[in-house]
């Protein structure tokens, strides 16, 4: 069978250096890095001219349909460090039962059932390449599950800290995939503090969102893939459920890199950051015209993946949203679950709550005129709906009594 790890030829990476997204501070690649000295995320920079010369759209088109087809855009140096659980390209399908030019990119098809697999596949592959043997992270569930899976594959010890109301499926999945999982009476930022404070005592590498440079590079493949699937013509709008913002920042970076090698033009989709009304720091900062977001007090929403009261990459999210002519929008939980139920009942597609939030946001934006129904819009369903609690159902039926078929219709 064909796998990347069987390819002995060593392709060069095109990484030139890492650069702080805020201050521009530069550090070498191929080394362990956390945050920059400004306390902000590093972004990986590439020799894009060299990359553009070494790869053609035709070569790319002939590769297997997975995340690693974008090998030249990624920082892993040696093929033997590529960890893979089958990171398939995910389908973009017409939103079923909806009147409008609306499409859904279904990321629930990825390993561990969420798009966190993209980021963690890359980050753990890099951790393996850089010789890390123990890692920890705070999570609302899906990132911890993906980290646990790839760490198992890499033989890296994993410690996961999640709020104690994280969906039970996630907690059990993390434990089954060999990580140690702690349920903390607090929110994700409280869990993040435990990870940060434990660095010295435990000697673990902190894999918190954007506190290391490589998760963005994995999430970037969403933008590369979307562009390729759209025939290198980007849609008018992208609705993205925004927690830490890795995916939104990653896609924005992907579009810049594709423009630099001449595969797309300067046009960009409106980037629309969707948050929950009970935790909407980016929406508030967007509306206030601020560069950074304040910590959101008493964060609450059942859309666990977007319950992120503070994001270290807030300014990068806000920049992308503003430069694209997009906006940030908050949706309350009742509307999120109504949108989930509507899409499942009418279209047969079970979205996760975060994905349902993007559908509700599209409906709201069409109503208030910020998006036209016929603008080509793509929603991100970022996890399988099966990972979340669902309402009880199933009508008891006694097979020993006469069955009243007439009452069933
Ligand atoms: C993590 C997560 C998000 C938020 O993703 P970011 O790129 O970190 O903003 C949204 N939905 C789900 C299901 C998630 O797991």
């Amino acid at each position: 069978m064909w796998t990347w790890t069987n390819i002995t030829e060593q392709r060069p990476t095109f990484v030139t250096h890492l650069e702080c997204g805020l201050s521009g501070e530069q550090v070498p690649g191929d080394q362990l890095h956390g945050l920059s000295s400004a306390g902000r995320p590093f972004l990986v920079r590439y020799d894009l001219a060299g990359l553009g010369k070494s790869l053609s759209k035709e070569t790319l088109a002939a590769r297997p349909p997975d995340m690693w087809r974008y090998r030249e855009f990624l920082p892993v140096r040696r093929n033997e460090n590529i960890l893979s659980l089958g990171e398939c390209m995910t389908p973009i399908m017409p939103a079923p039962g909806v009147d409008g030019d609306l499409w859904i990119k279904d990321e629930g098809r990825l390993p561990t059932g969420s798009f966190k697999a993209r980021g963690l596949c890359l980050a753990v592959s890099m951790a393996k390449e850089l010789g890390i043997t123990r890692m920890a992270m705070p999570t609302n569930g899906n990132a911890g599950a993906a980290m646990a899976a790839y760490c198992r594959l890499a033989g890296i010890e994993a410690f996961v800290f999640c709020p104690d109301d994280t969906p039970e499926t996630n907690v059990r999945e993390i434990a089954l995939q060999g990580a140690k999982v702690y349920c903390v009476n607090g929110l994700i930022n409280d869990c993040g503090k435990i990870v940060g404070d434990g660095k010295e005592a435990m000697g673990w590498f902190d894999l918190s969102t954007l506190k290391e440079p490589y998760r963005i590079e994995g999430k970037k493949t969403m933008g590369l893939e979307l562009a390729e699937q759209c025939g290198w013509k980007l849609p008018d709008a992208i609705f993205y459920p925004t927690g830490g913002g890795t995916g939104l920042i990653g896609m924005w970076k992907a579009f810049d890199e594709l423009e630099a090698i001449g595969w797309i033009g300067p046009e960009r989709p409106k980037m629309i950051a969707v948050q929950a009304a009970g935790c909407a720091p980016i929406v508030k900062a967007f509306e206030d015209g601020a560069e950074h977001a304040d910590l959101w007090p008493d964060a609450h929403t059942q859309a666990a993946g977007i319950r992120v009261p503070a994001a270290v990459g807030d300014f990068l999210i806000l920049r992308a949203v503003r430069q694209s002519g997009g906006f940030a929008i908050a949706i309350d939980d009742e509307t999120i679950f109504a949108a989930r139920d509507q899409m499942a009942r009418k279209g047969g597609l079970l979205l996760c709550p975060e994905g349902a939030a993007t559908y509700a946001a599209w409906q709201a934006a069409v109503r208030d005129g910020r998006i036209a129904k016929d603008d080509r819009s793509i929603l991100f369903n970022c996890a399988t709906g099966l990972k979340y609690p669902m309402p009880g159902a199933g009508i008891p039926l006694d097979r020993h009594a006469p069955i009243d078929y007439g009452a069933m219709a």
Side-chain angles (χ1 to χ4, degrees):
M1 289 292 253
W2 196 96
T3 72
W4 277 106
T5 40
N6 286 344
I7 307 280
T8 44
E9 165 211 355
Q10 296 300 335
R11 288 159 207 257
T13 74
F14 291 94
V15 175
T16 50
H17 62 282
L18 311 185
E19 189 179 287
C20 172
L22 189 66
S23 67
E25 175 192 353
Q26 297 195 355
V27 293
D30 294 314
Q31 289 180 3
L32 266 185
H33 292 288
L35 291 173
S36 72
S37 41
R40 294 291 172 171
F42 277 121
L43 301 171
V44 183
R45 296 298 180 206
Y46 298 85
D47 164 18
L48 292 169
L51 193 167
K53 271 193 226 112
S54 86
L55 183 65
S56 68
K57 289 179 182 172
E58 293 67 37
T59 306
L60 183 64
R63 288 184 180 167
D66 70 12
M67 176 181 123
W68 291 101
R69 69 199 271 108
Y70 305 108
R71 182 88 177 81
E72 285 83 352
F73 291 88
L74 300 174
V76 176
R77 191 166 289 278
R78 276 178 272 287
N79 285 334
E80 69 256 29
N81 294 321
I82 290 180
L83 301 167
S84 179
L85 291 166
E87 298 70 30
C88 54
M89 289 176 91
T90 63
I92 301 182
M93 64 190 115
V98 175
D99 173 28
D101 195 359
L102 184 65
W103 301 75
I104 298 178
K105 187 156 176 63
D106 190 7
E107 296 278 297
R109 319 286 177 103
L110 286 160
T112 72
S114 87
F115 65 9
K116 291 294 192 302
R118 295 182 188 263
L120 274 306
C121 176
L122 209 290
V124 180
S125 295
M126 283 304 289
K128 184 180 173 207
E129 185 152 281
L130 298 174
I132 293 171
T133 57
R134 181 183 269 193
M135 312 217 274
M137 74 149 52
T139 177
N140 282 324
N142 288 330
M147 178 176 94
Y150 290 103
C151 279
R152 201 69 335 259
L153 204 55
I156 294 175
E157 221 184 337
F159 294 80
V160 175
F161 298 84
C162 57
D164 57 10
D165 59 352
T166 297
E168 194 56 36
T169 308
N170 272 321
V171 177
R172 295 181 188 192
E173 175 191 13
I174 293 166
L176 269 174
Q177 285 159 191
K180 218 153 179 200
V181 54
Y182 293 91
C183 296
V184 179
N185 52 349
L187 293 177
I188 189 167
N189 47 324
D190 303 308
C191 297
K193 184 167 185 316
I194 295 172
V195 170
D197 290 350
K199 259 190 233 170
E200 206 154 303
M202 297 299 293
W204 57 42
F205 187 75
D206 183 349
L207 211 66
S208 300
T209 307
L210 302 191
K211 287 192 184 162
E212 62 77 52
Y214 300 115
R215 262 168 83 179
I216 291 187
E217 296 303 296
K219 278 279 195 84
K220 187 177 85 178
T221 62
M222 288 193 300
L224 301 171
E225 188 176 301
L226 183 150
E228 188 180 4
Q229 287 171 313
C230 296
W232 308 107
K233 186 177 174 334
L234 300 178
D236 297 314
I238 292 177
F239 286 76
Y240 187 79
T242 307
T246 330
L248 197 149
I249 298 166
M251 282 193 278
W252 194 245
K253 186 169 186 287
F255 300 153
D256 281 349
E257 292 173 0
L258 288 173
E259 186 184 351
I261 63 171
W263 287 14
I264 62 170
E267 308 81 22
R268 294 288 182 274
K270 289 185 175 141
M271 302 299 282
I272 298 158
V274 180
Q275 297 204 298
C279 182
I282 299 297
V283 179
K284 181 170 185 303
F286 176 77
E287 286 172 355
D288 291 348
E291 192 191 358
H292 293 282
D294 295 330
L295 177 87
W296 187 271
D298 305 320
H300 62 90
T301 168
Q302 287 190 61
I306 51 176
R307 194 176 61 176
V308 179
V312 65
D314 52 6
F315 64 106
L316 294 171
I317 304 171
L318 287 158
R319 257 186 223 170
V321 167
R322 288 187 176 120
Q323 283 175 14
S324 74
F327 53 91
I329 178 170
I331 305 292
D332 64 54
D333 275 24
E334 201 186 318
T335 311
I336 289 176
F337 284 99
R340 177 186 75 172
D341 295 355
Q342 191 190 346
M343 177 74 56
R345 294 223 166 90
K346 277 176 59 182
L349 179 65
L350 181 63
L351 301 171
C352 63
E354 299 83 353
T358 65
Y359 178 38
W362 178 80
Q363 290 175 317
V366 168
R367 263 195 315 272
D368 71 19
R370 283 195 275 185
I371 291 290
K373 185 164 74 78
D374 298 325
D375 287 342
R376 175 151 296 171
S377 299
I378 296 188
L379 309 179
F380 270 84
N381 185 49
C382 27
T384 165
L386 296 172
K387 294 184 90 169
Y388 296 78
M390 283 175 258
I395 305 161
L397 189 63
D398 179 5
R399 68 189 171 91
H400 299 298
I403 293 180
D404 181 359
Y405 289 101
M408 289 180 173

